[in-house]
């Protein structure tokens, strides 16, 4: 279950304690954050926007939410599609939340483009258009990497662009999902 909350001025404050733990993946250390019940962040160490929602709270590795997230990641990194989702709390602007909801509709092993997401966002909001660049900004600020599959979004020309965790990781994740990566161009 994903719970979306909007904020006014303080996107990094959830109004409650935040706990962190780590997961060792084939692509490096992943930091998980939680309010104690829901997952609030999942980042590759050092990725762009890493931990922007983290507070200075101590680690609490025995939380059930971290165990559930580890189980999800274990299934995923075995090259399988997890059939469950840990409870997630996202606290951000309505625009970003809508974009992240659209990311969740991208099937495992498939890709879509920033332009397609922008067109779908515009359709859902009954407006003529939405900027692909604005969508890209929301995609790259996704605080729950991998589980909310921002790595499945590519450029209209087939380029692997805009992944906050790095393009090598994006390609690796898509290959793990057995997406056809032969047609992709790596941006320089």
């Amino acid at each position: 279950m994903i719970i979306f909350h909007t904020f006014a001025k303080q996107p990094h404050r959830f109004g409650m304690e935040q706990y962190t733990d780590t997961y060792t993946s084939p692509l490096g250390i992943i930091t998980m954050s939680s309010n104690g019940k829901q997952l609030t962040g999942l980042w590759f160490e050092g990725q762009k926007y890493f931990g922007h929602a983290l507070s200075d709270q101590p680690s609490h590795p025995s939380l059930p939410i971290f165990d559930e997230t580890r189980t999800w990641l274990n299934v995923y990194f075995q090259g399988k599609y997890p059939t469950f989702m840990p409870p997630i709390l996202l606290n951000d602007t309505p625009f970003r939340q809508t974009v992240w909801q659209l990311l969740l509709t991208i099937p495992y092993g498939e890709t879509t483009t920033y332009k397609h997401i922008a067109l779908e966002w515009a359709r859902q909001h009954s407006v003529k258009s939405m900027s692909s660049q604005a969508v890209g900004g929301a995609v790259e600020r996704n605080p729950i990497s991998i589980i909310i599959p921002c790595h499945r979004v590519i450029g209209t020309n087939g380029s692997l662009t805009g992944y906050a965790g790095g393009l090598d990781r994006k390609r690796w994740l898509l290959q793990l999902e057995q997406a056809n990566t032969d047609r992709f161009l790596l941006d320089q």
Side-chain angles (χ1 to χ4, degrees):
M1 175 168 84
I2 299 179
I3 299 171
F4 292 90
H5 288 167
T6 58
F7 67 83
K9 295 211 178 213
Q10 296 181 341
H12 62 286
R13 301 287 182 231
F14 288 91
M16 58 192 73
E17 291 187 86
Q18 290 291 302
Y19 303 98
T20 61
D21 200 358
T22 59
Y23 174 87
T24 303
S25 81
L27 296 173
I29 301 295
I30 295 175
T31 297
M32 303 177 283
S33 69
S34 172
N35 62 4
K37 295 184 190 251
Q38 298 139 324
L39 190 66
T40 57
L42 190 72
W43 302 273
F44 285 108
E45 211 166 80
Q47 101 176 31
K48 191 174 182 181
Y49 306 111
F50 171 76
H52 71 278
L54 293 179
S55 64
D56 294 328
Q57 298 299 322
S59 292
H60 194 294
S62 64
L63 290 173
I65 184 61
F66 292 147
D67 293 337
E68 192 171 346
T69 302
R70 277 188 197 89
T71 300
W72 192 100
L73 290 167
N74 286 339
V75 170
Y76 180 82
F77 283 116
Q78 290 172 9
K80 300 174 185 169
Y81 174 73
T83 57
F84 67 96
M85 182 174 294
I88 292 173
L89 173 66
L90 295 170
N91 193 27
D92 216 308
T93 66
F95 173 71
R96 287 181 184 168
Q97 290 181 17
T98 304
V99 170
W100 299 337
Q101 287 173 333
L102 289 169
L103 295 178
L104 288 166
T105 68
I106 308 168
Y108 180 90
E110 295 185 25
T111 59
T112 192
T113 64
Y114 295 96
K115 181 178 180 179
H116 176 79
I117 292 173
L119 291 170
E120 182 58 24
W121 189 97
R123 186 193 66 75
Q124 287 183 8
H125 291 84
S126 302
V127 296
K128 186 175 178 179
S129 66
M130 170 49 64
S131 161
S132 296
Q133 289 79 13
V135 165
V139 170
E140 75 178 349
R141 285 172 179 80
N142 167 22
I144 312 279
S145 294
I146 304 172
I147 293 176
I148 298 177
C150 52
H151 61 279
R152 296 182 190 149
V153 184
I154 62 172
T156 303
N157 66 354
S159 62
L160 294 183
T161 183
Y163 188 59
L167 296 181
D168 289 339
R169 286 181 177 141
K170 183 172 190 165
R171 179 181 290 278
W172 193 96
L173 294 169
L174 290 171
Q175 288 172 337
L176 176 70
E177 295 182 16
Q178 299 181 357
N180 181 0
T181 57
D182 293 339
R183 63 186 173 92
F184 298 149
L185 306 170
L186 263 177
D187 279 0
Q188 301 298 329

XYZ file of all heavy atoms in Angstrom, residues 92-129:
320
model
N 5.265 14.495 -0.625
C 5.802 15.412 -1.619
C 4.667 16.164 -2.302
O 3.517 16.052 -1.910
C 6.644 14.638 -2.646
C 7.847 15.442 -3.120
O 7.659 16.597 -3.551
O 8.970 14.924 -3.053
N 5.018 16.890 -3.355
C 4.029 17.695 -4.061
C 3.047 16.807 -4.831
O 3.389 15.689 -5.221
C 4.705 18.640 -5.072
O 5.310 17.860 -6.106
C 5.740 19.531 -4.393
N 1.836 17.289 -5.073
C 0.871 16.512 -5.854
C 1.405 16.158 -7.247
O 1.149 15.054 -7.736
C -0.349 17.431 -5.939
C -0.255 18.298 -4.720
C 1.233 18.517 -4.513
N 2.138 17.070 -7.879
C 2.678 16.782 -9.207
C 3.622 15.583 -9.165
O 3.479 14.637 -9.942
C 3.406 18.008 -9.776
C 4.119 17.713 -11.067
C 3.410 17.491 -12.232
C 5.504 17.626 -11.109
C 4.066 17.198 -13.426
C 6.165 17.331 -12.284
C 5.441 17.119 -13.451
N 4.598 15.613 -8.265
C 5.553 14.497 -8.174
C 4.831 13.201 -7.827
O 5.137 12.144 -8.383
C 6.640 14.800 -7.148
C 7.627 15.838 -7.628
C 8.704 16.081 -6.600
N 9.597 17.153 -7.014
C 10.476 17.725 -6.220
N 10.605 17.324 -4.956
N 11.240 18.692 -6.667
N 3.890 13.268 -6.919
C 3.173 12.061 -6.531
C 2.434 11.441 -7.710
O 2.442 10.220 -7.881
C 2.200 12.374 -5.393
C 2.920 12.659 -4.099
C 1.960 12.952 -2.968
O 0.774 12.656 -3.037
N 2.481 13.532 -1.907
N 1.817 12.275 -8.539
C 1.120 11.757 -9.713
C 2.101 11.109 -10.677
O 1.827 10.042 -11.231
C 0.325 12.878 -10.420
O -0.567 13.468 -9.483
C -0.455 12.334 -11.602
N 3.252 11.732 -10.868
C 4.271 11.146 -11.747
C 4.721 9.802 -11.182
O 4.840 8.811 -11.910
C 5.469 12.105 -11.948
C 6.628 11.401 -12.647
C 5.034 13.343 -12.736
N 4.951 9.722 -9.876
C 5.403 8.463 -9.267
C 4.326 7.385 -9.369
O 4.639 6.213 -9.558
C 5.831 8.691 -7.824
C 6.984 9.653 -7.698
C 7.920 9.969 -8.650
C 7.313 10.444 -6.560
N 8.799 10.901 -8.170
C 8.452 11.213 -6.885
C 6.745 10.587 -5.294
C 9.045 12.097 -5.990
C 7.342 11.461 -4.403
C 8.481 12.207 -4.749
N 3.057 7.783 -9.275
C 1.976 6.814 -9.476
C 2.014 6.269 -10.900
O 1.781 5.084 -11.118
C 0.617 7.453 -9.186
C 0.374 7.677 -7.713
C -0.905 8.459 -7.434
O -1.364 9.251 -8.253
N -1.470 8.244 -6.266
N 2.321 7.130 -11.865
C 2.440 6.680 -13.254
C 3.616 5.723 -13.425
O 3.537 4.765 -14.201
C 2.564 7.876 -14.199
C 1.291 8.702 -14.367
C 1.575 10.010 -15.108
C 0.217 7.887 -15.072
N 4.712 5.956 -12.693
C 5.854 5.038 -12.768
C 5.447 3.632 -12.336
O 5.931 2.636 -12.887
C 7.006 5.530 -11.887
C 7.681 6.847 -12.274
C 8.756 7.204 -11.259
C 8.247 6.794 -13.672
N 4.574 3.556 -11.347
C 4.139 2.255 -10.847
C 3.326 1.461 -11.869
O 3.147 0.251 -11.709
C 3.326 2.434 -9.558
C 4.145 2.834 -8.336
C 3.234 3.317 -7.211
C 5.024 1.690 -7.875
N 2.863 2.112 -12.923
C 2.088 1.409 -13.955
C 2.965 0.809 -15.043
O 2.464 0.085 -15.896
C 1.048 2.352 -14.605
O 1.721 3.361 -15.365
C 0.133 2.985 -13.558
N 4.264 1.111 -15.026
C 5.167 0.571 -16.051
C 5.439 -0.893 -15.710
O 5.993 -1.197 -14.660
C 6.499 1.342 -16.113
C 6.270 2.846 -16.247
C 7.360 0.812 -17.270
C 7.528 3.682 -16.026
N 5.061 -1.815 -16.583
C 5.250 -3.232 -16.273
C 6.725 -3.619 -16.131
O 7.612 -3.044 -16.774
C 4.625 -3.946 -17.479
C 3.703 -2.949 -18.086
C 4.345 -1.611 -17.843
N 6.964 -4.602 -15.292
C 8.289 -5.192 -15.099
C 8.840 -5.617 -16.461
O 8.145 -6.234 -17.263
C 8.143 -6.406 -14.178
C 9.419 -7.145 -13.881
C 10.207 -6.791 -12.800
C 9.817 -8.226 -14.661
C 11.369 -7.483 -12.492
C 10.980 -8.920 -14.366
C 11.756 -8.552 -13.280
O 12.907 -9.235 -12.978
N 10.090 -5.253 -16.732
C 10.732 -5.653 -17.978
C 10.381 -4.794 -19.174
O 10.774 -5.091 -20.297
N 9.623 -3.733 -18.970
C 9.248 -2.843 -20.061
C 9.716 -1.431 -19.740
O 10.063 -1.119 -18.614
C 7.734 -2.881 -20.287
C 7.250 -4.241 -20.756
C 5.773 -4.262 -21.087
O 5.211 -3.197 -21.416
O 5.181 -5.346 -21.011
N 9.697 -0.580 -20.755
C 10.092 0.811 -20.571
C 9.034 1.727 -21.173
O 8.190 1.292 -21.958
C 11.451 1.112 -21.256
O 11.341 0.837 -22.659
C 12.578 0.300 -20.638
N 9.116 2.974 -20.779
C 8.301 4.021 -21.378
C 9.189 5.255 -21.476
O 10.334 5.235 -21.029
C 7.019 4.291 -20.557
O 6.145 5.119 -21.351
C 7.324 4.974 -19.238
N 8.671 6.313 -22.033
C 9.460 7.532 -22.196
C 8.942 8.649 -21.294
O 7.784 8.627 -20.848
C 9.410 8.030 -23.658
O 8.062 8.399 -23.971
C 9.911 6.964 -24.630
N 9.801 9.629 -21.070
C 9.390 10.818 -20.321
C 8.228 11.490 -21.042
O 7.279 11.959 -20.413
C 10.564 11.792 -20.175
C 11.692 11.236 -19.356
C 12.784 10.622 -19.960
C 11.679 11.309 -17.965
C 13.824 10.100 -19.206
C 12.710 10.788 -17.206
C 13.780 10.184 -17.830
O 14.799 9.655 -17.082
N 8.299 11.517 -22.363
C 7.241 12.141 -23.154
C 5.910 11.417 -22.960
O 4.866 12.051 -22.797
C 7.624 12.145 -24.638
C 6.595 12.793 -25.527
C 7.041 12.810 -26.976
C 6.000 13.475 -27.858
N 6.456 13.501 -29.253
N 5.937 10.089 -22.950
C 4.707 9.327 -22.756
C 4.099 9.629 -21.378
O 2.881 9.800 -21.248
C 4.961 7.832 -22.902
C 3.753 7.001 -22.623
N 2.744 6.832 -23.540
C 3.361 6.337 -21.508
C 1.791 6.094 -23.002
N 2.146 5.777 -21.766
N 4.944 9.689 -20.352
C 4.440 10.008 -19.010
C 3.854 11.414 -18.994
O 2.796 11.649 -18.396
C 5.552 9.846 -17.954
C 5.912 8.361 -17.831
C 5.114 10.403 -16.601
C 7.109 8.094 -16.955
N 4.517 12.363 -19.664
C 4.004 13.739 -19.724
C 2.641 13.777 -20.416
O 1.720 14.466 -19.958
C 4.998 14.642 -20.445
N 2.503 13.025 -21.504
C 1.217 12.978 -22.208
C 0.138 12.354 -21.337
O -1.007 12.839 -21.304
C 1.365 12.196 -23.522
C 2.200 12.868 -24.611
C 2.460 11.895 -25.754
C 1.511 14.125 -25.115
N 0.478 11.293 -20.619
C -0.503 10.636 -19.745
C -0.887 11.550 -18.581
O -2.051 11.622 -18.203
C 0.042 9.297 -19.240
C -0.917 8.528 -18.359
C -2.255 8.207 -19.017
O -2.359 8.155 -20.255
O -3.227 8.017 -18.255
N 0.104 12.246 -18.011
C -0.192 13.193 -16.929
C -1.163 14.266 -17.433
O -2.149 14.581 -16.760
C 1.096 13.833 -16.419
C 0.882 14.642 -15.176
C 1.088 14.244 -13.894
C 0.410 16.001 -15.101
N 0.759 15.256 -13.021
C 0.343 16.347 -13.740
C 0.032 16.945 -16.038
C -0.083 17.606 -13.305
C -0.404 18.191 -15.604
C -0.450 18.506 -14.245
N -0.889 14.808 -18.616
C -1.754 15.852 -19.187
C -3.162 15.311 -19.429
O -4.155 15.984 -19.130
C -1.148 16.381 -20.484
N -3.260 14.093 -19.951
C -4.569 13.488 -20.191
C -5.340 13.345 -18.882
O -6.513 13.705 -18.798
C -4.413 12.119 -20.859
C -5.751 11.482 -21.277
C -5.613 10.017 -21.646
N -5.244 9.176 -20.509
C -6.072 8.815 -19.521
N -7.314 9.241 -19.503
N -5.657 8.029 -18.542
N -4.681 12.837 -17.841
C -5.344 12.631 -16.551
C -5.800 13.939 -15.913
O -6.761 13.954 -15.149
C -4.428 11.899 -15.578
C -4.240 10.442 -15.891
C -3.375 9.739 -14.852
O -3.022 10.285 -13.812
N -3.019 8.497 -15.155
N -5.091 15.027 -16.217
C -5.416 16.320 -15.611
C -6.159 17.248 -16.565
O -6.323 18.434 -16.283
C -4.139 16.977 -15.075
C -3.593 16.244 -13.899
N -2.777 15.137 -14.030
C -3.784 16.427 -12.580
C -2.483 14.691 -12.829
N -3.081 15.440 -11.931
N -6.574 16.702 -17.697
C -7.372 17.439 -18.684
C -6.730 18.759 -19.091
O -7.385 19.801 -19.162
C -8.789 17.692 -18.146
O -9.408 16.476 -17.836
N -5.418 18.695 -19.343
C -4.704 19.854 -19.865
C -4.090 19.483 -21.209
O -3.927 18.302 -21.523
C -3.620 20.371 -18.880
C -4.254 20.871 -17.590
C -2.582 19.326 -18.605
N -3.760 20.494 -21.981
C -3.275 20.260 -23.335
C -1.919 19.567 -23.357
O -1.688 18.659 -24.167
C -3.198 21.591 -24.077
C -2.840 21.447 -25.531
C -2.899 22.774 -26.240
C -2.495 22.610 -27.686
N -2.562 23.857 -28.425
N -1.014 19.964 -22.469
C 0.317 19.352 -22.486
C 0.989 19.489 -21.126
O 0.555 20.267 -20.273
C 1.191 19.997 -23.565
O 1.440 21.352 -23.241
